[in-house]
Short mmCIF file of all heavy atoms in Angstrom, two decimals:
data_model
loop_
_atom_site.label_atom_id
_atom_site.label_comp_id
_atom_site.label_asym_id
_atom_site.label_seq_id
_atom_site.Cartn_x
_atom_site.Cartn_y
_atom_site.Cartn_z
N ILE A 1 2.34 -6.42 -15.64
CA ILE A 1 2.71 -6.88 -14.27
C ILE A 1 1.76 -7.96 -13.90
O ILE A 1 0.57 -8.01 -14.30
CB ILE A 1 2.65 -5.71 -13.28
CG1 ILE A 1 1.22 -5.20 -13.06
CG2 ILE A 1 3.60 -4.60 -13.61
CD1 ILE A 1 1.02 -4.34 -11.90
N GLU A 2 2.30 -8.91 -13.19
CA GLU A 2 1.53 -10.01 -12.65
C GLU A 2 0.91 -9.56 -11.32
O GLU A 2 1.61 -8.89 -10.57
CB GLU A 2 2.43 -11.23 -12.41
CG GLU A 2 1.63 -12.44 -11.84
CD GLU A 2 2.51 -13.65 -11.76
OE1 GLU A 2 3.47 -13.82 -12.52
OE2 GLU A 2 2.23 -14.40 -10.80
N LEU A 3 -0.35 -9.80 -11.13
CA LEU A 3 -0.95 -9.50 -9.81
C LEU A 3 -1.07 -10.76 -8.99
O LEU A 3 -1.60 -11.77 -9.32
CB LEU A 3 -2.31 -8.88 -10.05
CG LEU A 3 -2.36 -7.57 -10.86
CD1 LEU A 3 -3.78 -7.06 -11.05
CD2 LEU A 3 -1.53 -6.54 -10.18
N ALA A 4 -0.47 -10.67 -7.78
CA ALA A 4 -0.39 -11.83 -6.86
C ALA A 4 -1.22 -11.65 -5.62
O ALA A 4 -1.53 -12.62 -4.93
CB ALA A 4 1.03 -12.08 -6.50
N GLN A 5 -1.57 -10.39 -5.26
CA GLN A 5 -2.25 -10.19 -3.98
C GLN A 5 -2.91 -8.80 -4.07
O GLN A 5 -2.48 -7.86 -4.67
CB GLN A 5 -1.17 -10.18 -2.86
CG GLN A 5 -1.75 -9.99 -1.45
CD GLN A 5 -0.65 -10.25 -0.42
OE1 GLN A 5 0.12 -11.26 -0.53
NE2 GLN A 5 -0.54 -9.35 0.52
N VAL A 6 -4.08 -8.72 -3.32
CA VAL A 6 -4.75 -7.45 -3.20
C VAL A 6 -4.83 -7.13 -1.69
O VAL A 6 -5.32 -7.99 -0.89
CB VAL A 6 -6.22 -7.49 -3.77
CG1 VAL A 6 -6.92 -6.16 -3.54
CG2 VAL A 6 -6.14 -7.74 -5.27
N ASN A 7 -4.35 -6.03 -1.25
CA ASN A 7 -4.40 -5.60 0.17
C ASN A 7 -5.42 -4.52 0.34
O ASN A 7 -5.64 -3.67 -0.55
CB ASN A 7 -3.01 -5.07 0.61
CG ASN A 7 -1.93 -6.11 0.49
OD1 ASN A 7 -2.20 -7.31 0.60
ND2 ASN A 7 -0.72 -5.65 0.32
N CYS A 8 -6.03 -4.49 1.51
CA CYS A 8 -7.00 -3.47 1.90
C CYS A 8 -6.62 -2.99 3.30
O CYS A 8 -6.57 -3.77 4.21
CB CYS A 8 -8.43 -3.98 1.86
SG CYS A 8 -9.62 -2.74 2.31
N SER A 9 -6.41 -1.66 3.44
CA SER A 9 -5.98 -1.07 4.70
C SER A 9 -7.01 -0.03 5.09
O SER A 9 -7.36 0.84 4.29
CB SER A 9 -4.63 -0.46 4.53
OG SER A 9 -4.35 0.31 5.68
N VAL A 10 -7.54 -0.11 6.31
CA VAL A 10 -8.46 0.89 6.80
C VAL A 10 -7.79 1.55 8.00
O VAL A 10 -7.34 0.94 8.90
CB VAL A 10 -9.83 0.23 7.27
CG1 VAL A 10 -10.77 1.30 7.78
CG2 VAL A 10 -10.44 -0.56 6.15
N SER A 11 -7.67 2.91 7.87
CA SER A 11 -6.92 3.68 8.88
C SER A 11 -7.76 4.86 9.32
O SER A 11 -8.58 5.42 8.54
CB SER A 11 -5.65 4.23 8.21
OG SER A 11 -4.86 3.23 7.73
N ARG A 12 -7.56 5.26 10.60
CA ARG A 12 -8.18 6.46 11.08
C ARG A 12 -7.28 7.65 10.87
O ARG A 12 -6.07 7.48 10.60
CB ARG A 12 -8.59 6.27 12.54
CG ARG A 12 -7.48 6.04 13.49
CD ARG A 12 -7.99 5.85 14.94
NE ARG A 12 -6.96 5.42 15.84
CZ ARG A 12 -6.16 6.27 16.43
NH1 ARG A 12 -6.22 7.58 16.28
NH2 ARG A 12 -5.21 5.85 17.26
N ARG A 13 -7.79 8.89 11.00
CA ARG A 13 -7.03 10.11 10.82
C ARG A 13 -5.79 10.08 11.61
O ARG A 13 -5.74 9.69 12.76
CB ARG A 13 -7.84 11.36 11.15
CG ARG A 13 -7.13 12.63 10.91
CD ARG A 13 -7.88 13.86 11.40
NE ARG A 13 -9.32 13.86 11.26
CZ ARG A 13 -9.99 14.23 10.19
NH1 ARG A 13 -9.36 14.59 9.14
NH2 ARG A 13 -11.30 14.21 10.21
N GLY A 14 -4.66 10.49 10.97
CA GLY A 14 -3.39 10.56 11.67
C GLY A 14 -2.58 9.27 11.65
O GLY A 14 -1.40 9.27 12.08
N VAL A 15 -3.11 8.19 11.08
CA VAL A 15 -2.35 6.95 10.97
C VAL A 15 -1.37 7.14 9.79
O VAL A 15 -1.76 7.51 8.70
CB VAL A 15 -3.24 5.74 10.77
CG1 VAL A 15 -2.40 4.48 10.35
CG2 VAL A 15 -4.01 5.44 12.03
N LEU A 16 -0.10 6.86 10.07
CA LEU A 16 0.98 6.96 9.07
C LEU A 16 1.56 5.57 8.86
O LEU A 16 2.05 4.94 9.85
CB LEU A 16 2.02 7.96 9.57
CG LEU A 16 3.28 8.21 8.77
CD1 LEU A 16 2.91 8.57 7.25
CD2 LEU A 16 4.12 9.26 9.44
N ARG A 17 1.47 5.08 7.65
CA ARG A 17 1.93 3.71 7.31
C ARG A 17 3.11 3.80 6.35
O ARG A 17 3.01 4.47 5.34
CB ARG A 17 0.81 2.86 6.72
CG ARG A 17 -0.36 2.62 7.72
CD ARG A 17 -1.39 1.78 7.02
NE ARG A 17 -2.56 1.64 7.83
CZ ARG A 17 -2.83 0.63 8.63
NH1 ARG A 17 -1.96 -0.33 8.72
NH2 ARG A 17 -3.99 0.57 9.36
N GLY A 18 4.19 3.12 6.70
CA GLY A 18 5.33 3.12 5.76
C GLY A 18 6.47 3.93 6.34
O GLY A 18 6.40 4.43 7.49
N VAL A 19 7.52 4.00 5.61
CA VAL A 19 7.88 3.82 4.23
C VAL A 19 8.24 2.35 4.11
O VAL A 19 9.21 1.94 4.66
CB VAL A 19 9.01 4.74 3.80
CG1 VAL A 19 9.51 4.48 2.40
CG2 VAL A 19 8.68 6.20 4.01
N HIS A 20 7.55 1.63 3.25
CA HIS A 20 7.75 0.17 3.06
C HIS A 20 8.33 -0.12 1.67
O HIS A 20 7.96 0.56 0.70
CB HIS A 20 6.46 -0.62 3.25
CG HIS A 20 5.86 -0.46 4.62
ND1 HIS A 20 4.50 -0.47 4.83
CD2 HIS A 20 6.44 -0.22 5.88
CE1 HIS A 20 4.27 -0.22 6.16
NE2 HIS A 20 5.40 -0.11 6.75
N PHE A 21 9.19 -1.14 1.62
CA PHE A 21 9.71 -1.66 0.32
C PHE A 21 10.09 -3.11 0.55
O PHE A 21 10.28 -3.56 1.68
CB PHE A 21 10.84 -0.76 -0.17
CG PHE A 21 12.09 -0.84 0.70
CD1 PHE A 21 13.11 -1.70 0.52
CD2 PHE A 21 12.16 0.03 1.81
CE1 PHE A 21 14.21 -1.74 1.35
CE2 PHE A 21 13.29 -0.01 2.66
CZ PHE A 21 14.30 -0.89 2.43
N ALA A 22 10.26 -3.82 -0.58
CA ALA A 22 10.58 -5.20 -0.51
C ALA A 22 11.93 -5.44 -1.23
O ALA A 22 12.32 -4.66 -2.11
CB ALA A 22 9.54 -6.07 -1.21
N ASP A 23 12.65 -6.55 -0.85
CA ASP A 23 13.92 -6.93 -1.44
C ASP A 23 13.69 -7.05 -2.97
O ASP A 23 12.67 -7.55 -3.43
CB ASP A 23 14.43 -8.24 -0.95
CG ASP A 23 14.97 -8.14 0.48
OD1 ASP A 23 15.33 -7.04 0.88
OD2 ASP A 23 15.00 -9.22 1.17
N VAL A 24 14.73 -6.63 -3.73
CA VAL A 24 14.73 -6.78 -5.17
C VAL A 24 15.95 -7.59 -5.55
O VAL A 24 17.02 -7.26 -5.08
CB VAL A 24 14.83 -5.41 -5.90
CG1 VAL A 24 14.89 -5.58 -7.40
CG2 VAL A 24 13.64 -4.51 -5.48
N PRO A 25 15.80 -8.70 -6.33
CA PRO A 25 14.55 -9.24 -6.79
C PRO A 25 13.85 -10.04 -5.73
O PRO A 25 14.49 -10.36 -4.75
CB PRO A 25 14.99 -10.15 -7.97
CG PRO A 25 16.37 -10.61 -7.59
CD PRO A 25 16.93 -9.46 -6.82
N PRO A 26 12.60 -10.35 -5.87
CA PRO A 26 11.74 -9.97 -7.00
C PRO A 26 11.17 -8.59 -6.79
O PRO A 26 10.61 -8.03 -7.79
CB PRO A 26 10.67 -11.02 -7.03
CG PRO A 26 10.50 -11.39 -5.55
CD PRO A 26 11.89 -11.26 -4.98
N GLY A 27 11.18 -8.02 -5.58
CA GLY A 27 10.53 -6.76 -5.36
C GLY A 27 9.05 -6.92 -5.29
O GLY A 27 8.47 -8.02 -5.32
N GLN A 28 8.39 -5.79 -5.15
CA GLN A 28 6.86 -5.81 -5.14
C GLN A 28 6.37 -4.46 -5.72
O GLN A 28 6.49 -3.41 -5.10
CB GLN A 28 6.37 -5.99 -3.71
CG GLN A 28 4.84 -6.15 -3.66
CD GLN A 28 4.36 -6.31 -2.26
OE1 GLN A 28 4.44 -5.35 -1.49
NE2 GLN A 28 3.78 -7.45 -1.91
N ALA A 29 5.90 -4.56 -6.94
CA ALA A 29 5.25 -3.36 -7.54
C ALA A 29 3.91 -3.23 -6.90
O ALA A 29 3.25 -4.25 -6.55
CB ALA A 29 5.15 -3.57 -9.04
N LYS A 30 3.38 -1.97 -6.82
CA LYS A 30 2.06 -1.72 -6.22
C LYS A 30 1.27 -0.76 -7.06
O LYS A 30 1.85 0.17 -7.66
CB LYS A 30 2.25 -1.15 -4.80
CG LYS A 30 2.94 -2.09 -3.83
CD LYS A 30 3.11 -1.39 -2.49
CE LYS A 30 3.85 -2.31 -1.52
NZ LYS A 30 4.28 -1.65 -0.30
N TYR A 31 0.00 -1.00 -7.10
CA TYR A 31 -0.99 -0.07 -7.74
C TYR A 31 -1.97 0.32 -6.66
O TYR A 31 -2.72 -0.55 -6.18
CB TYR A 31 -1.64 -0.78 -8.91
CG TYR A 31 -2.56 0.05 -9.75
CD1 TYR A 31 -2.07 0.84 -10.82
CD2 TYR A 31 -3.91 0.12 -9.44
CE1 TYR A 31 -2.93 1.63 -11.52
CE2 TYR A 31 -4.76 0.97 -10.19
CZ TYR A 31 -4.23 1.68 -11.26
OH TYR A 31 -5.12 2.45 -11.99
N VAL A 32 -1.96 1.56 -6.23
CA VAL A 32 -2.59 2.00 -5.00
C VAL A 32 -3.73 3.00 -5.26
O VAL A 32 -3.53 3.91 -6.04
CB VAL A 32 -1.62 2.61 -4.03
CG1 VAL A 32 -2.26 2.99 -2.74
CG2 VAL A 32 -0.38 1.75 -3.80
N THR A 33 -4.88 2.78 -4.62
CA THR A 33 -5.94 3.78 -4.76
C THR A 33 -6.72 3.85 -3.35
O THR A 33 -6.63 2.90 -2.59
CB THR A 33 -6.97 3.41 -5.91
OG1 THR A 33 -7.87 4.48 -6.09
CG2 THR A 33 -7.73 2.11 -5.59
N CYS A 34 -7.32 4.98 -3.15
CA CYS A 34 -8.07 5.17 -1.93
C CYS A 34 -9.54 5.10 -2.28
O CYS A 34 -10.08 5.98 -3.03
CB CYS A 34 -7.74 6.54 -1.33
SG CYS A 34 -8.60 6.88 0.25
N VAL A 35 -10.21 4.09 -1.81
CA VAL A 35 -11.63 3.87 -2.21
C VAL A 35 -12.59 4.54 -1.25
O VAL A 35 -13.78 4.74 -1.62
CB VAL A 35 -11.97 2.37 -2.30
CG1 VAL A 35 -11.14 1.69 -3.42
CG2 VAL A 35 -11.77 1.66 -1.00
N ALA A 36 -12.15 4.99 -0.07
CA ALA A 36 -13.03 5.77 0.83
C ALA A 36 -12.14 6.69 1.69
O ALA A 36 -11.06 6.24 2.20
CB ALA A 36 -13.81 4.78 1.75
N GLY A 37 -12.56 7.95 1.73
CA GLY A 37 -11.73 8.92 2.47
C GLY A 37 -10.65 9.52 1.67
O GLY A 37 -10.74 9.63 0.45
N GLU A 38 -9.58 10.00 2.34
CA GLU A 38 -8.46 10.64 1.70
C GLU A 38 -7.17 10.34 2.43
O GLU A 38 -7.11 10.29 3.65
CB GLU A 38 -8.72 12.15 1.73
CG GLU A 38 -7.65 12.96 1.11
CD GLU A 38 -7.88 14.50 1.15
OE1 GLU A 38 -8.67 14.92 1.96
OE2 GLU A 38 -7.30 15.21 0.31
N VAL A 39 -6.11 10.13 1.63
CA VAL A 39 -4.77 9.94 2.17
C VAL A 39 -3.77 10.81 1.32
O VAL A 39 -4.05 11.14 0.20
CB VAL A 39 -4.31 8.45 2.03
CG1 VAL A 39 -5.27 7.57 2.88
CG2 VAL A 39 -4.19 8.00 0.65
N LEU A 40 -2.67 11.09 1.99
CA LEU A 40 -1.54 11.62 1.31
C LEU A 40 -0.62 10.43 1.06
O LEU A 40 -0.11 9.79 2.00
CB LEU A 40 -0.80 12.69 2.18
CG LEU A 40 0.37 13.34 1.40
CD1 LEU A 40 -0.13 14.23 0.27
CD2 LEU A 40 1.26 14.15 2.35
#
């Protein structure tokens, strides 16, 4: 996969983000990790 952008989101407890998706093509594949705290 080509990497075009890195996003960083900081949220407080109870913040719900999404459900997000992009038009296909080209779409947007994502590789997601939580570097501080915990998310579902």
